[in-house]
Amino acid sequence: MDSDRTFIIVGAGFAGAKAAETLRAEGFEGRIALIGAEPERPYERPPLSKDYLRGEAEAKPYVHEEAFYADNRIELRPRTRVESIELSAAEVVLETGERLGYERLLLATGAEPRRVSVPGADLDGVMYLRTIADSEAIRDRIGAGSKLVTIGAGWIGAEVAASARQKGCEVTAIERASLPLERVLGPELGAIYRDIHVDHGVKMLTDTALEAFEGEATLEAVRTADGKRIDADLVVVGVGVAPRTGLAEAAGIEVDNGVVVDDRLRTSAADVFAAGDLANADHPLFGRRIRVEHWANALNQGPAAARNMLGADRPYDAVPYFFSDQYDVGMEYAGYATEWDEVVFRGAPKEREFIAFWLKDGRVLAGMNVNLWDVTDDIQALVRSQQRIERDRLADPDVPLSDLVPAGSRAAGT
Protein backbone atom coordinates (compact mmCIF):
# COMPACT_ATOMS: atom_id res chain seq x y z
CA MET A 1 0.00 0.00 0.00
CA ASP A 2 1.14 3.55 -0.78
CA SER A 3 0.62 4.63 2.80
CA ASP A 4 3.37 2.25 3.94
CA ARG A 5 5.96 3.69 1.55
CA THR A 6 8.52 6.38 2.36
CA PHE A 7 10.02 8.72 -0.23
CA ILE A 8 12.86 10.97 0.92
CA ILE A 9 14.00 14.12 -0.87
CA VAL A 10 17.42 15.42 0.13
CA GLY A 11 17.58 19.09 -0.79
CA ALA A 12 14.74 21.47 0.07
CA GLY A 13 15.23 23.86 -2.83
CA PHE A 14 13.03 24.53 -5.83
CA ALA A 15 13.50 21.11 -7.47
CA GLY A 16 12.91 19.25 -4.21
CA ALA A 17 9.82 21.28 -3.32
CA LYS A 18 8.27 20.81 -6.76
CA ALA A 19 9.01 17.08 -6.58
CA ALA A 20 7.24 16.80 -3.23
CA GLU A 21 4.28 18.77 -4.58
CA THR A 22 4.08 16.47 -7.59
CA LEU A 23 4.16 13.29 -5.52
CA ARG A 24 1.02 14.42 -3.72
CA ALA A 25 -0.61 15.71 -6.91
CA GLU A 26 -0.04 12.31 -8.52
CA GLY A 27 -1.83 10.60 -5.65
CA PHE A 28 1.06 9.27 -3.57
CA GLU A 29 -0.25 8.60 -0.04
CA GLY A 30 2.94 7.54 1.70
CA ARG A 31 5.40 9.44 3.82
CA ILE A 32 7.36 12.28 2.18
CA ALA A 33 10.35 13.74 4.00
CA LEU A 34 11.84 16.91 2.47
CA ILE A 35 15.19 17.58 4.11
CA GLY A 36 17.15 20.81 3.72
CA ALA A 37 20.16 22.36 5.41
CA GLU A 38 18.98 25.96 5.12
CA PRO A 39 16.76 27.54 7.80
CA GLU A 40 14.28 28.79 5.18
CA ARG A 41 11.51 26.76 3.62
CA PRO A 42 12.01 26.17 -0.13
CA TYR A 43 12.36 29.30 -2.24
CA GLU A 44 13.19 30.39 -5.78
CA ARG A 45 16.63 31.83 -6.49
CA PRO A 46 16.23 34.13 -9.55
CA PRO A 47 14.87 37.10 -7.52
CA LEU A 48 17.93 37.01 -5.25
CA SER A 49 20.02 38.90 -7.82
CA LYS A 50 17.16 41.05 -9.09
CA ASP A 51 14.14 42.60 -7.34
CA TYR A 52 14.74 40.93 -3.96
CA LEU A 53 18.33 42.18 -3.94
CA ARG A 54 17.13 45.70 -4.75
CA GLY A 55 14.54 45.62 -1.97
CA GLU A 56 11.64 45.87 -4.42
CA ALA A 57 10.03 42.54 -3.54
CA GLU A 58 7.70 42.67 -0.56
CA ALA A 59 8.06 39.03 0.42
CA LYS A 60 10.66 36.30 0.32
CA PRO A 61 10.36 34.24 -2.89
CA TYR A 62 9.04 31.08 -1.26
CA VAL A 63 7.80 28.25 -3.48
CA HIS A 64 4.74 27.58 -1.29
CA GLU A 65 2.84 29.17 1.53
CA GLU A 66 3.98 28.01 4.95
CA ALA A 67 0.86 25.89 5.51
CA PHE A 68 1.32 23.98 2.26
CA TYR A 69 3.66 21.38 3.71
CA ALA A 70 1.54 20.46 6.71
CA ASP A 71 -1.64 20.58 4.64
CA ASN A 72 -0.12 18.11 2.19
CA ARG A 73 1.52 15.92 4.84
CA ILE A 74 4.99 16.76 3.60
CA GLU A 75 7.48 16.45 6.44
CA LEU A 76 9.63 19.53 5.86
CA ARG A 77 12.84 19.38 7.87
CA PRO A 78 14.88 22.61 7.54
CA ARG A 79 18.19 23.13 9.34
CA THR A 80 18.84 19.42 8.88
CA ARG A 81 21.96 17.97 7.32
CA VAL A 82 22.23 14.50 5.87
CA GLU A 83 25.51 12.95 6.96
CA SER A 84 25.49 9.97 4.62
CA ILE A 85 23.47 7.64 2.42
CA GLU A 86 23.65 3.91 3.10
CA LEU A 87 22.55 2.24 -0.11
CA SER A 88 22.67 -1.32 1.19
CA ALA A 89 20.26 -0.45 4.01
CA ALA A 90 18.24 2.04 1.92
CA GLU A 91 18.69 4.66 4.62
CA VAL A 92 19.86 8.23 4.97
CA VAL A 93 21.76 9.12 8.12
CA LEU A 94 21.28 12.58 9.58
CA GLU A 95 24.05 14.45 11.37
CA THR A 96 22.15 13.81 14.61
CA GLY A 97 22.55 10.06 14.03
CA GLU A 98 18.88 9.57 13.18
CA ARG A 99 18.30 7.07 10.39
CA LEU A 100 15.47 7.33 7.88
CA GLY A 101 14.64 4.40 5.65
CA TYR A 102 13.38 4.99 2.13
CA GLU A 103 11.80 3.14 -0.74
CA ARG A 104 12.73 5.90 -3.18
CA LEU A 105 15.29 8.66 -2.69
CA LEU A 106 15.63 11.89 -4.67
CA LEU A 107 18.85 13.87 -4.51
CA ALA A 108 18.25 17.57 -5.16
CA THR A 109 21.13 19.14 -3.28
CA GLY A 110 21.82 21.74 -5.96
CA ALA A 111 25.11 23.56 -6.32
CA GLU A 112 27.32 25.93 -4.38
CA PRO A 113 29.39 28.95 -5.44
CA ARG A 114 32.96 28.36 -6.50
CA ARG A 115 35.32 30.16 -4.17
CA VAL A 116 38.36 32.20 -5.04
CA SER A 117 41.65 31.49 -3.31
CA VAL A 118 43.59 34.74 -3.29
CA PRO A 119 45.07 36.84 -0.49
CA GLY A 120 42.33 38.62 1.43
CA ALA A 121 39.56 36.23 0.37
CA ASP A 122 38.36 36.02 3.98
CA LEU A 123 38.02 39.79 4.50
CA ASP A 124 34.70 41.20 5.62
CA GLY A 125 33.07 42.53 2.47
CA VAL A 126 34.00 39.65 0.17
CA MET A 127 30.67 38.00 -0.52
CA TYR A 128 28.96 35.33 -2.60
CA LEU A 129 25.35 35.10 -3.71
CA ARG A 130 23.42 31.85 -3.41
CA THR A 131 20.95 32.08 -0.55
CA ILE A 132 18.31 34.45 0.79
CA ALA A 133 20.72 35.32 3.60
CA ASP A 134 23.43 36.17 1.05
CA SER A 135 21.04 38.41 -0.91
CA GLU A 136 19.94 40.23 2.23
CA ALA A 137 23.53 40.74 3.37
CA ILE A 138 24.47 42.24 0.00
CA ARG A 139 21.31 44.35 -0.09
CA ASP A 140 22.23 45.88 3.26
CA ARG A 141 25.53 47.12 1.79
CA ILE A 142 24.54 48.45 -1.62
CA GLY A 143 23.30 51.99 -1.95
CA ALA A 144 24.06 55.34 -3.48
CA GLY A 145 27.76 56.05 -3.40
CA SER A 146 28.98 52.64 -2.24
CA LYS A 147 31.65 50.97 -4.35
CA LEU A 148 30.96 47.44 -5.58
CA VAL A 149 33.28 45.18 -7.55
CA THR A 150 31.99 42.00 -9.14
CA ILE A 151 34.46 39.22 -9.81
CA GLY A 152 33.12 37.58 -12.94
CA ALA A 153 30.65 38.95 -15.48
CA GLY A 154 28.56 35.84 -15.99
CA TRP A 155 24.86 35.80 -15.14
CA ILE A 156 25.26 36.36 -11.40
CA GLY A 157 27.95 39.02 -11.80
CA ALA A 158 26.02 40.81 -14.54
CA GLU A 159 22.70 40.78 -12.69
CA VAL A 160 24.25 41.93 -9.42
CA ALA A 161 26.08 44.70 -11.27
CA ALA A 162 22.81 45.84 -12.85
CA SER A 163 20.92 45.78 -9.56
CA ALA A 164 23.69 47.66 -7.78
CA ARG A 165 23.79 50.36 -10.47
CA GLN A 166 20.03 50.72 -10.17
CA LYS A 167 20.58 51.34 -6.45
CA GLY A 168 23.19 54.01 -7.16
CA CYS A 169 26.39 52.07 -6.54
CA GLU A 170 29.65 52.70 -8.32
CA VAL A 171 30.27 49.35 -10.02
CA THR A 172 33.36 47.77 -11.54
CA ALA A 173 33.13 44.35 -13.17
CA ILE A 174 36.29 42.24 -13.48
CA GLU A 175 36.16 39.45 -16.06
CA ARG A 176 38.92 37.12 -17.25
CA ALA A 177 37.32 36.66 -20.68
CA SER A 178 37.32 39.29 -23.39
CA LEU A 179 33.59 39.99 -22.95
CA PRO A 180 30.87 39.43 -20.35
CA LEU A 181 28.90 36.22 -20.86
CA GLU A 182 31.23 35.27 -23.70
CA ARG A 183 31.55 31.64 -22.63
CA VAL A 184 27.79 31.12 -22.77
CA LEU A 185 26.67 33.46 -25.53
CA GLY A 186 29.73 34.02 -27.70
CA PRO A 187 31.36 37.29 -28.79
CA GLU A 188 28.43 38.83 -30.67
CA LEU A 189 26.07 38.72 -27.71
CA GLY A 190 28.87 39.34 -25.22
CA ALA A 191 29.58 42.64 -26.95
CA ILE A 192 25.93 43.64 -26.71
CA TYR A 193 25.87 42.96 -22.97
CA ARG A 194 29.16 44.80 -22.49
CA ASP A 195 27.65 47.85 -24.13
CA ILE A 196 24.47 47.59 -22.06
CA HIS A 197 26.49 47.72 -18.85
CA VAL A 198 28.88 50.42 -20.02
CA ASP A 199 25.91 52.54 -21.12
CA HIS A 200 24.58 52.27 -17.56
CA GLY A 201 27.86 53.37 -16.00
CA VAL A 202 29.57 50.08 -15.13
CA LYS A 203 33.35 50.12 -15.49
CA MET A 204 34.08 46.88 -17.34
CA LEU A 205 37.57 45.40 -16.96
CA THR A 206 37.80 42.45 -19.33
CA ASP A 207 40.84 40.24 -20.07
CA THR A 208 41.62 40.91 -16.41
CA ALA A 209 42.56 38.45 -13.68
CA LEU A 210 42.09 38.88 -9.95
CA GLU A 211 45.27 39.10 -7.87
CA ALA A 212 44.13 39.89 -4.31
CA PHE A 213 41.73 41.65 -1.99
CA GLU A 214 43.26 44.32 0.20
CA GLY A 215 42.38 45.55 3.67
CA GLU A 216 43.06 44.91 7.33
CA ALA A 217 39.95 43.17 8.67
CA THR A 218 37.58 44.82 6.19
CA LEU A 219 37.82 45.02 2.42
CA GLU A 220 39.31 48.24 1.10
CA ALA A 221 40.36 47.47 -2.47
CA VAL A 222 40.72 44.87 -5.19
CA ARG A 223 44.05 44.34 -6.93
CA THR A 224 44.23 42.85 -10.42
CA ALA A 225 47.03 40.80 -11.96
CA ASP A 226 48.00 43.71 -14.24
CA GLY A 227 48.53 46.01 -11.28
CA LYS A 228 45.28 47.95 -11.09
CA ARG A 229 43.93 48.86 -7.65
CA ILE A 230 40.17 49.44 -7.39
CA ASP A 231 38.70 50.91 -4.23
CA ALA A 232 35.86 48.73 -2.98
CA ASP A 233 33.40 48.64 -0.10
CA LEU A 234 32.00 45.32 -1.27
CA VAL A 235 32.91 42.49 -3.62
CA VAL A 236 30.48 39.93 -4.99
CA VAL A 237 32.23 36.88 -6.43
CA GLY A 238 30.38 35.20 -9.28
CA VAL A 239 32.73 32.70 -10.91
CA GLY A 240 30.30 29.84 -11.32
CA VAL A 241 28.96 27.06 -9.16
CA ALA A 242 29.88 23.44 -8.47
CA PRO A 243 27.29 20.68 -8.03
CA ARG A 244 27.01 19.37 -4.49
CA THR A 245 27.99 15.78 -5.17
CA GLY A 246 29.66 14.88 -1.85
CA LEU A 247 26.84 12.73 -0.47
CA ALA A 248 26.41 10.80 -3.69
CA GLU A 249 30.12 10.28 -4.23
CA ALA A 250 30.66 9.04 -0.68
CA ALA A 251 27.81 6.56 -1.17
CA GLY A 252 29.38 5.16 -4.33
CA ILE A 253 26.87 6.70 -6.76
CA GLU A 254 28.37 7.59 -10.15
CA VAL A 255 29.49 11.21 -10.34
CA ASP A 256 30.82 13.12 -13.35
CA ASN A 257 30.20 16.87 -13.43
CA GLY A 258 27.24 16.24 -11.17
CA VAL A 259 25.37 13.07 -10.33
CA VAL A 260 25.08 10.97 -13.46
CA VAL A 261 21.49 10.03 -14.32
CA ASP A 262 19.80 8.40 -17.29
CA ASP A 263 16.98 9.96 -19.27
CA ARG A 264 14.54 8.86 -16.55
CA LEU A 265 16.67 10.72 -13.95
CA ARG A 266 17.75 7.47 -12.29
CA THR A 267 21.23 7.36 -10.77
CA SER A 268 23.56 4.37 -10.84
CA ALA A 269 22.06 3.24 -7.50
CA ALA A 270 18.79 1.37 -7.29
CA ASP A 271 15.78 3.50 -6.28
CA VAL A 272 17.84 6.71 -6.16
CA PHE A 273 17.05 9.62 -8.50
CA ALA A 274 18.54 13.10 -8.95
CA ALA A 275 17.19 16.40 -10.29
CA GLY A 276 18.04 20.08 -10.59
CA ASP A 277 21.50 21.69 -10.66
CA LEU A 278 22.97 18.45 -9.37
CA ALA A 279 21.84 16.13 -12.17
CA ASN A 280 23.99 15.43 -15.23
CA ALA A 281 21.27 13.83 -17.30
CA ASP A 282 21.13 11.91 -20.56
CA HIS A 283 19.03 14.12 -22.83
CA PRO A 284 17.20 12.35 -25.67
CA LEU A 285 17.04 15.47 -27.82
CA PHE A 286 20.74 16.30 -27.68
CA GLY A 287 22.10 12.75 -27.55
CA ARG A 288 24.44 13.51 -24.66
CA ARG A 289 24.50 14.22 -20.95
CA ILE A 290 23.85 17.82 -19.96
CA ARG A 291 23.69 19.56 -16.59
CA VAL A 292 21.55 22.69 -16.46
CA GLU A 293 21.83 25.24 -13.64
CA HIS A 294 18.66 27.22 -14.21
CA TRP A 295 15.27 27.82 -12.65
CA ALA A 296 13.20 26.14 -15.36
CA ASN A 297 15.23 22.97 -15.09
CA ALA A 298 14.41 22.70 -11.39
CA LEU A 299 10.79 23.59 -12.10
CA ASN A 300 10.39 20.79 -14.64
CA GLN A 301 12.96 18.18 -13.66
CA GLY A 302 11.88 17.83 -10.02
CA PRO A 303 8.32 16.85 -11.04
CA ALA A 304 9.64 14.57 -13.81
CA ALA A 305 11.80 12.73 -11.28
CA ALA A 306 8.84 12.45 -8.90
CA ARG A 307 6.67 10.85 -11.57
CA ASN A 308 9.40 8.37 -12.44
CA MET A 309 9.85 7.54 -8.75
CA LEU A 310 6.19 6.54 -8.92
CA GLY A 311 6.81 4.33 -11.94
CA ALA A 312 5.91 6.58 -14.88
CA ASP A 313 9.08 5.60 -16.79
CA ARG A 314 9.06 8.72 -18.97
CA PRO A 315 12.16 10.33 -20.47
CA TYR A 316 12.94 13.90 -19.48
CA ASP A 317 13.41 15.80 -22.74
CA ALA A 318 12.42 19.40 -21.96
CA VAL A 319 14.28 22.05 -23.98
CA PRO A 320 16.42 24.05 -21.51
CA TYR A 321 15.20 27.56 -20.79
CA PHE A 322 16.36 30.50 -18.70
CA PHE A 323 15.80 34.23 -18.42
CA SER A 324 17.60 37.32 -17.23
CA ASP A 325 16.60 40.91 -16.53
CA GLN A 326 19.27 43.60 -16.48
CA TYR A 327 18.20 47.25 -16.33
CA ASP A 328 15.51 47.65 -18.99
CA VAL A 329 16.75 44.66 -21.00
CA GLY A 330 14.89 41.41 -20.55
CA MET A 331 15.76 38.18 -22.31
CA GLU A 332 14.73 34.54 -22.58
CA TYR A 333 16.99 31.76 -23.87
CA ALA A 334 15.78 28.38 -25.06
CA GLY A 335 17.97 25.53 -26.25
CA TYR A 336 21.48 24.31 -25.59
CA ALA A 337 24.43 25.61 -27.60
CA THR A 338 28.03 24.88 -26.64
CA GLU A 339 29.56 25.16 -30.12
CA TRP A 340 28.07 26.63 -33.26
CA ASP A 341 28.84 27.77 -36.79
CA GLU A 342 27.15 31.16 -36.71
CA VAL A 343 24.76 33.44 -34.87
CA VAL A 344 21.83 34.76 -36.92
CA PHE A 345 19.99 37.89 -35.80
CA ARG A 346 16.34 38.75 -36.45
CA GLY A 347 15.29 42.26 -35.54
CA ALA A 348 17.34 45.20 -34.32
CA PRO A 349 20.34 44.38 -32.10
CA LYS A 350 21.34 48.07 -31.90
CA GLU A 351 17.92 48.90 -30.46
CA ARG A 352 18.15 45.84 -28.20
CA GLU A 353 14.98 44.31 -29.60
CA PHE A 354 15.89 41.14 -31.43
CA ILE A 355 16.13 37.37 -31.51
CA ALA A 356 19.51 35.65 -31.85
CA PHE A 357 19.76 32.09 -33.12
CA TRP A 358 22.78 29.81 -32.66
CA LEU A 359 23.13 27.49 -35.66
CA LYS A 360 25.21 24.45 -36.47
CA ASP A 361 24.94 22.80 -39.89
CA GLY A 362 21.87 24.96 -40.53
CA ARG A 363 20.02 23.64 -37.47
CA VAL A 364 18.89 25.88 -34.62
CA LEU A 365 20.61 24.86 -31.39
CA ALA A 366 19.26 27.74 -29.31
CA GLY A 367 17.51 31.06 -29.58
CA MET A 368 17.42 34.12 -27.34
CA ASN A 369 14.75 36.80 -27.53
CA VAL A 370 15.67 40.21 -26.14
CA ASN A 371 12.84 42.64 -25.31
CA LEU A 372 10.60 40.66 -27.68
CA TRP A 373 8.06 38.34 -26.14
CA ASP A 374 5.75 35.39 -26.76
CA VAL A 375 8.18 33.60 -29.05
CA THR A 376 9.66 31.01 -26.69
CA ASP A 377 7.35 28.20 -27.79
CA ASP A 378 8.33 28.76 -31.42
CA ILE A 379 12.04 28.88 -30.55
CA GLN A 380 11.77 25.67 -28.55
CA ALA A 381 9.95 24.02 -31.45
CA LEU A 382 12.71 25.05 -33.85
CA VAL A 383 15.30 23.56 -31.49
CA ARG A 384 13.26 20.40 -31.04
CA SER A 385 12.79 19.92 -34.79
CA GLN A 386 16.56 19.51 -35.42
CA GLN A 387 15.84 20.33 -39.05
CA ARG A 388 17.76 22.71 -41.28
CA ILE A 389 16.13 26.13 -41.47
CA GLU A 390 16.64 28.53 -44.36
CA ARG A 391 18.93 31.22 -42.96
CA ASP A 392 17.39 34.17 -44.79
CA ARG A 393 13.88 33.29 -43.66
CA LEU A 394 15.10 32.81 -40.10
CA ALA A 395 16.57 36.33 -40.15
CA ASP A 396 13.54 37.96 -41.79
CA PRO A 397 11.19 39.52 -39.18
CA ASP A 398 8.42 39.57 -41.78
CA VAL A 399 8.35 35.76 -41.81
CA PRO A 400 6.43 34.55 -38.74
CA LEU A 401 8.52 32.18 -36.66
CA SER A 402 5.54 29.84 -36.54
CA ASP A 403 5.83 29.42 -40.32
CA LEU A 404 9.34 28.01 -39.88
CA VAL A 405 8.36 25.34 -37.35
CA PRO A 406 8.12 21.90 -38.97
CA ALA A 407 4.96 19.94 -38.31
CA GLY A 408 5.13 17.76 -35.21
CA SER A 409 7.99 19.70 -33.61
CA ARG A 410 6.04 21.24 -30.76
CA ALA A 411 6.01 19.69 -27.32
CA ALA A 412 2.69 18.37 -26.12
CA GLY A 413 0.40 21.18 -24.98
CA THR A 414 2.07 23.99 -27.00
Side-chain angles (χ1 to χ4, degrees):
M1 293 178 60
D2 253 5
S3 58
D4 297 328
R5 306 169 76 190
T6 296
F7 284 11
I8 293 177
I9 301 169
V10 179
F14 195 29
K18 297 303 288 187
E21 175 189 317
T22 301
L23 289 174
R24 286 292 183 241
E26 294 288 328
F28 180 66
E29 293 293 332
R31 181 187 183 190
I32 301 172
L34 178 57
I35 303 171
E38 288 191 49
E40 305 282 355
R41 67 179 185 269
Y43 59 88
E44 302 181 35
R45 297 191 191 276
L48 302 186
S49 57
K50 305 180 185 72
D51 56 345
Y52 192 77
L53 180 64
R54 296 191 298 271
E56 297 167 4
E58 294 183 2
K60 294 181 179 181
Y62 291 125
V63 181
H64 301 110
E65 296 294 330
E66 187 172 5
F68 171 85
Y69 301 96
D71 290 348
N72 287 274
R73 295 178 294 111
I74 296 168
E75 186 182 324
L76 177 60
R77 302 182 70 161
R79 296 185 178 86
T80 302
R81 293 189 179 275
V82 174
E83 185 71 24
S84 63
I85 302 166
E86 296 195 1
L87 298 176
S88 59
E91 291 180 335
V92 298
V93 182
L94 307 184
E95 63 180 353
T96 60
E98 181 182 358
R99 292 172 174 264
L100 301 175
Y102 63 83
E103 184 172 325
R104 299 281 189 276
L105 173 65
L106 175 62
L107 300 178
T109 49
E112 59 190 356
R114 296 185 185 278
R115 306 275 163 167
V116 293
S117 297
V118 298
D122 57 349
L123 287 172
D124 177 48
V126 177
M127 308 181 80
Y128 296 79
L129 176 58
R130 184 67 181 177
T131 67
I132 280 180
D134 294 337
S135 184
E136 291 173 345
I138 295 168
R139 183 177 65 196
D140 288 345
R141 294 179 182 233
I142 61 174
S146 62
K147 297 179 176 65
L148 167 71
V149 176
T150 64
I151 307 300
W155 294 114
I156 289 296
E159 290 178 356
V160 168
S163 288
R165 281 299 298 144
Q166 289 171 271
K167 295 294 290 183
C169 284
E170 296 179 25
V171 178
T172 301
I174 296 175
E175 170 58 55
R176 292 181 66 97
S178 299
L179 292 162
L181 299 164
E182 184 177 22
R183 183 182 64 82
V184 180
L185 302 180
E188 297 94 340
L189 276 298
I192 290 172
Y193 272 96
R194 174 201 59 204
D195 294 346
I196 289 168
H197 281 278
V198 171
D199 287 352
H200 283 86
V202 173
K203 185 176 182 180
M204 187 72 64
L205 301 181
T206 54
D207 293 310
T208 301
L210 171 67
E211 181 74 17
F213 301 119
E214 297 182 350
E216 293 299 325
T218 301
L219 177 74
E220 296 175 8
V222 177
R223 191 171 75 248
T224 64
D226 58 1
K228 293 185 180 71
R229 187 181 187 277
I230 303 125
D231 290 342
D233 303 309
L234 173 66
V235 159
V236 176
V237 180
V239 293
V241 297
R244 289 191 174 106
T245 58
L247 275 176
E249 193 167 6
I253 296 170
E254 185 180 359
V255 168
D256 180 12
N257 181 31
V259 171
V260 174
V261 296
D262 65 13
D263 62 357
R264 268 67 174 175
L265 306 176
R266 297 174 297 210
T267 73
S268 62
D271 302 320
V272 181
F273 296 71
D277 292 359
L278 179 73
N280 192 3
D282 271 333
H283 199 291
L285 182 60
F286 302 109
R288 56 175 290 190
R289 287 202 305 260
I290 68 173
R291 189 174 64 81
V292 180
E293 299 169 351
H294 295 294
W295 170 89
N297 190 60
L299 171 70
N300 296 316
Q301 205 172 64
R307 294 185 186 101
N308 286 334
M309 291 165 74
L310 292 170
D313 196 34
R314 297 175 194 158
Y316 180 77
D317 64 353
V319 175
Y321 165 92
F322 64 90
F323 67 93
S324 179
D325 298 310
Q326 299 171 41
Y327 312 105
D328 55 352
V329 180
M331 60 76 75
E332 298 174 293
Y333 177 108
Y336 187 77
T338 55
E339 56 181 48
W340 53 86
D341 299 330
E342 64 174 331
V343 178
V344 173
F345 287 92
R346 163 186 287 237
K350 289 184 179 179
E351 281 71 48
R352 296 165 187 166
E353 291 187 2
F354 63 91
I355 306 173
F357 297 96
W358 287 259
L359 273 66
K360 188 173 180 62
D361 299 326
R363 298 177 174 89
V364 176
L365 302 178
M368 185 175 88
N369 50 295
V370 175
N371 284 350
L372 294 172
W373 310 109
D374 301 321
V375 294
T376 296
D377 288 347
D378 288 332
I379 292 172
Q380 290 188 342
L382 288 171
V383 173
R384 189 174 291 280
S385 78
Q386 298 189 313
Q387 294 189 24
R388 288 186 173 88
I389 306 296
E390 188 178 334
R391 185 192 186 283
D392 289 345
R393 298 187 74 211
L394 189 63
D396 187 349
D398 292 330
V399 177
L401 277 185
S402 57
D403 288 359
L404 303 177
V405 177
S409 297
R410 295 187 185 277
T414 64

